[in-house]
Amino acid sequence: MLKHGAQTLFSASDLVNFMGCAHATVLDVRNLATPATFPPEDESAVLLQEKGIEHERAYLERLRREGLTVVEIPGDGTLEVRVEATRRAMEAGHDVIYQGAFLAGRWHGYSDFLLKHPGIPSALGDFVYDVADTKLARSAKPKHVLQLCVYADMLREVQGTTPPSMHVVLGTGEIVTLRTESLIHYFSTARGRFESFADSVPNASTGDPCGHCTFCRWSQHCDDEWEAADHLSIVAGMGRSQRTALRQAGIDDIGGLAALPDGTRITGMQPGTVAKLSAQARLQAHQRQTGERRVELLPAAPGRGFARLPRPDAGDMFFDMEGIRCSMAASNICSALSPPRTARTTFTRSGLMIGKARRTRSSRRSTS
């Protein structure tokens, strides 16, 4: 989202952000009037960007090796200059257009690749262009599809017909092809919702932790707000549906949850869950007020907690992959740490991998 002269221009990222969290769109709109300062990218984000560029360039070289004519749109001109260069390249009928630029109404964007599709008449001649984007992911995600739809819709403005297909070039090298007509109507609805919301964002808006936080540039901003407000999400073990139920009961922060009398019932929550979360809130509220960390030992329950782990063994390995966002990096790490073929590995729902190396028959200990 940016100011372009007297106009506000939207991008594919703006639509993806809105579908993930409407509060992010509110913050984006406010940022146009009062720009915020963001911290520099961390090392993992920089690594992902570098790997993404490598993947993109590798696909570009692959297209060249196939003998296709490739034209690259320079990235040093104004938006209008790049848009015009893209239009001329399309009219010239090049097989591949790299880093094409688009401007259509309130939307703008830069596609990774435009791929010539012969045999379909358009305003350009007896051919059209499809849009393709490279992604490090192992599978096509909804946000990838939305991004491609934004480009496909702007591409339609230039060539006079909807591109028949959209392509996602995955980090594995696989190419996922999607029929544009089967997705463009959903996109049109989503775009309409976004534009209506962005044109009249609410004066009051608060965020709530969600899956989009992982990718959102406003995540630290929201974290600071939640910390200052003693937000319910700070309570360990608190889920989204539980926060909703508590708010409907008039409980909006850690202090209110910590003060619940024993035996309080909350509609939509099990009594045991209410008691557990209230006890957890009391511990955290005490620590936030005094700095003292209290610990309450819970009675051991068969089949719960650590009792679910396999019996200890000298060959046990614990490896947490939760923080590895790049699938290619994860694959490399897993290859380097892979146990021998005789190993047994288990993945738990929490993301914990437990590997137990099996002994040979001659050295295996007897168990009872």
Side-chain angles (χ1 to χ4, degrees):
M1 195 177 298
L2 58 85
K3 283 292 186 182
H4 188 70
Q7 187 180 23
T8 298
L9 292 183
F10 302 134
S11 68
S13 297
D14 297 324
L15 178 58
V16 170
N17 289 341
F18 171 72
M19 298 302 289
C21 175
H23 183 60
T25 298
V26 174
L27 297 177
D28 285 340
V29 171
R30 292 175 182 171
N31 191 59
L32 294 174
T34 310
T37 301
F38 297 95
E41 300 279 9
D42 60 25
E43 292 182 357
S44 63
V46 172
L47 174 61
L48 281 174
Q49 292 173 3
E50 292 173 350
K51 291 295 183 182
I53 293 173
E54 288 178 12
H55 178 41
E56 186 177 293
R57 301 298 295 188
Y59 182 62
L60 178 62
E61 293 307 313
R62 171 178 164 182
L63 294 172
R64 283 177 171 150
R65 287 195 302 270
E66 293 175 0
L68 301 175
T69 60
V70 178
V71 62
E72 182 171 350
I73 305 301
D76 54 356
T78 64
L79 173 59
E80 287 79 7
V81 168
R82 297 172 69 178
V83 168
E84 179 60 21
T86 302
R87 185 187 62 79
R88 290 198 305 267
M90 292 174 62
E91 291 174 344
H94 294 282
D95 294 326
V96 178
I97 300 172
Y98 178 53
Q99 292 296 301
F102 296 99
L103 176 61
R106 308 174 69 184
W107 292 82
H108 80 294
Y110 305 94
S111 62
D112 287 349
F113 299 92
L114 300 178
L115 306 178
K116 187 177 181 180
H117 191 135
I120 299 178
S122 71
L124 304 172
D126 193 30
F127 62 90
V128 295
Y129 282 95
D130 286 344
V131 62
D133 254 29
T134 55
K135 302 296 180 185
L136 288 175
R138 293 175 177 267
S139 61
K141 305 291 194 300
K143 62 181 180 180
H144 302 157
V145 176
L146 276 177
Q147 181 179 9
L148 286 171
C149 284
V150 172
Y151 299 152
D153 189 63
M154 292 189 290
L155 178 57
R156 176 183 58 81
E157 294 281 332
V158 181
Q159 64 187 16
T161 187
T162 301
S165 302
M166 305 180 295
H167 313 277
V168 184
V169 185
L170 301 174
T172 59
E174 178 188 359
I175 299 177
V176 177
T177 297
L178 307 163
R179 287 184 61 250
T180 309
E181 285 296 339
S182 65
L183 299 162
I184 202 71
H185 301 295
Y186 166 76
F187 155 73
S188 297
T189 301
R191 180 187 57 188
R193 287 176 51 208
F194 164 73
E195 290 179 346
S196 297
F197 185 85
D199 286 340
S200 56
V201 296
N203 293 325
S205 176
T206 57
D208 211 40
C210 62
H212 187 67
C213 293
T214 305
F215 315 101
C216 185
R217 64 174 178 165
W218 297 106
S219 59
Q220 187 60 54
H221 171 89
C222 290
D223 284 342
D224 294 342
E225 286 190 343
W226 297 332
E227 184 71 22
D230 284 345
H231 196 272
L232 287 172
S233 64
I234 298 174
V235 178
M238 176 75 70
R240 193 169 190 173
S241 62
Q242 294 157 349
R243 292 195 299 269
T244 300
L246 288 169
R247 289 189 186 116
Q248 290 174 347
I251 302 164
D252 297 314
D253 55 25
I254 294 177
L257 179 57
L260 281 184
D262 291 342
T264 299
R265 290 187 172 274
I266 303 294
T267 302
M269 296 177 63
Q270 294 293 329
T273 302
V274 175
K276 180 182 70 174
L277 292 175
S278 180
Q280 179 64 38
R282 282 194 291 273
L283 291 175
Q284 291 183 229
H286 177 81
Q287 189 272 330
R288 292 167 71 82
Q289 294 165 5
T290 67
E292 178 191 4
R293 294 182 180 273
R294 285 181 175 176
V295 176
E296 294 181 1
L297 295 180
L298 302 177
R304 303 290 299 275
F306 288 117
R308 299 185 64 183
L309 290 173
R311 298 178 62 182
D313 188 277
D316 286 348
M317 178 179 72
F318 298 86
F319 177 37
D320 184 5
M321 290 180 58
E322 183 177 0
I324 303 177
R325 294 170 55 192
C326 176
S327 61
M328 297 175 70
S331 298
N332 293 337
I333 293 174
C334 289
S335 297
L337 298 181
S338 288
R341 289 182 178 274
T342 56
R344 172 174 62 86
T345 58
T346 302
F347 290 88
T348 69
R349 294 184 64 182
S350 64
L352 183 68
M353 182 177 77
I354 306 166
K356 179 171 287 188
R358 296 183 303 193
R359 292 178 171 78
T360 60
R361 186 180 300 273
S362 59
S363 63
R364 186 179 300 160
R365 294 183 300 182
S366 62
T367 58
S368 58

